[in-house]
């Protein structure tokens, strides 16, 4: 019954439910041949309802988080986990977001069941770059690039200056900011310190990994070569 345990641990159902999947012929090999619970096959060759089995530990997902969704398992309203197949929450260990985007921020979010990877990405020492695009309530002043790059900007209520943050104006009321730290509502508070207000905020990239054309609310698995882009300098 090794295959039943394997598939159940990946969140496809309880062991009883997975055993029923085998009896119903829903578990096959890559060639479409029905598998049985006591078969000896590699996980990579297993198909459930014709779809390759999810990988084991080390699963990494890219999600285009829409505005209005929360990076939580319990908050009211729509959660990011509502956008994923339920099996990802039933995996052991379950899938969790790598860092967070607040409810009113859209864009690239990574999720994984690998705790070591999660901490490697969010650890301050890693200085993983996150690129944001903000639209603003007022026109840019013109000195934002110098202020954000200075390494002296203090946020309200804090005593440690921000690390230098590259800035690029994209229009009179649109700008790109790249962070290597993750303080609470940091981009919004940076512009607030200069007397402006962020109206919309979107995370376009983590490291050299860009969101690309993935539609809002959609997800896909990340490949190893893509994951390496997260840590690019």
């Amino acid at each position: 019954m090794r295959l039943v345990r394997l598939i159940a641990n990946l969140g496809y159902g309880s062991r009883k439910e997975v055993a029923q999947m085998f009896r119903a012929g829903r578990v096959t090999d890559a060639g479409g041949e029905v598998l049985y619970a006591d078969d000896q096959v590699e996980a990579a060759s297993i198909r459930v309802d014709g779809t390759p089995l999810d990988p084991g530990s080390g699963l990494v997902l890219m999600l285009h988080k829409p505005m209005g969704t929360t990076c939580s398992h319990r908050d009211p309203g729509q959660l990011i986990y509502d956008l994923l197949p339920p099996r990802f929450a039933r995996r052991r260990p379950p899938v969790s977001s790598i860092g967070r985007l607040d409810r009113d921020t859209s864009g690239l979010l990574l999720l994984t069941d690998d705790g070591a990877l999660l901490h490697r990405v969010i650890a301050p020492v890693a200085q993983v770059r996150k690129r944001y695009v903000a639209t603003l309530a007022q026109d840019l002043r013109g000195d934002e690039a110098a202020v954000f790059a200075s390494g002296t900007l203090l946020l309200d209520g804090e005593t440690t200056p921000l690390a230098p943050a590259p800035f690029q104006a994209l229009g009179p009321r649109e700008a790109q900011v790249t962070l290597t730290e993750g303080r609470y509502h940091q981009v919004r508070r940076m512009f607030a310190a200069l007397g402006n207000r962020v109206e919309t905020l979107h995370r376009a990239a983590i490291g050299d990994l860009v969101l690309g054309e993935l539609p809002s609310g959609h997800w896909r698995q990340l490949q190893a070569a893509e994951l390496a882009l997260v840590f690019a300098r």
Side-chain angles (χ1 to χ4, degrees), residues 6 13 19 28-29 64 83-84 98 109 132 142-143 150 165-166 191 201 207 218:
L6 168 67
T28 65
D29 63 16
H64 185 163
L83 303 172
L84 305 174
I98 300 179
L109 186 68
Y132 296 84
D143 64 344
S150 68
F191 282 104
L201 188 61
H218 289 242

Side-chain angles (χ1 to χ4, degrees), residues 19-225:
Q20 291 173 341
M21 291 165 59
F22 275 96
R23 289 194 290 271
R26 295 173 55 194
V27 184
T28 65
D29 63 16
E33 188 75 21
V34 171
L35 294 176
Y36 296 91
D38 57 355
D39 284 340
Q40 300 293 315
V41 297
E42 295 295 325
S45 70
I46 298 174
R47 303 292 184 267
V48 175
D49 296 329
T51 302
L53 196 68
D54 292 334
S57 60
L59 176 70
V60 185
L61 307 176
M62 166 193 283
L63 172 69
H64 185 163
K65 177 192 173 296
M67 289 183 60
T69 54
T70 304
C71 297
S72 167
H73 287 281
R74 287 185 283 272
D75 285 1
Q78 188 177 38
L79 310 178
I80 58 169
Y81 301 101
D82 298 333
L83 303 172
L84 305 174
R87 68 180 186 271
F88 290 143
R90 296 194 298 257
R91 286 172 66 99
R92 294 293 176 266
V95 167
S96 298
S97 65
I98 300 179
R100 294 191 172 200
L101 293 177
D102 66 52
R103 183 179 181 84
D104 296 321
T105 300
S106 64
L108 176 56
L109 186 68
L110 300 180
L111 302 98
T112 187
D113 65 346
D114 185 339
L117 172 64
L118 187 153
H119 291 293
R120 182 185 172 201
V121 176
I122 66 175
V125 68
Q127 295 189 335
V128 171
R129 295 176 287 112
K130 293 101 176 175
R131 177 158 49 88
Y132 296 84
V133 175
T135 59
L136 306 165
Q138 302 175 43
D139 287 352
L140 295 166
R141 301 190 327 187
D143 64 344
E144 287 86 358
V147 174
F148 290 173
S150 68
T152 62
L153 179 62
L154 276 174
L155 297 179
D156 186 41
E158 298 193 8
T159 57
T160 303
L162 296 177
F167 171 94
Q168 180 182 358
L170 302 178
R173 297 190 178 188
E174 186 177 30
Q176 175 179 286
V177 181
T178 301
L179 306 182
T180 56
E181 54 188 347
R183 305 197 199 185
Y184 180 71
H185 288 176
Q186 183 171 341
V187 175
R188 298 178 189 278
R189 294 167 68 201
M190 289 169 71
F191 282 104
L194 300 186
N196 211 333
R197 177 172 57 84
V198 172
E199 292 194 327
T200 66
L201 188 61
H202 178 82
R203 184 155 73 188
I206 300 176
D208 284 346
L209 177 68
V210 298
L211 185 58
E213 300 300 320
L214 186 66
S216 179
H218 289 242
W219 63 273
R220 66 175 178 84
Q221 291 187 29
L222 213 61
Q223 303 304 311

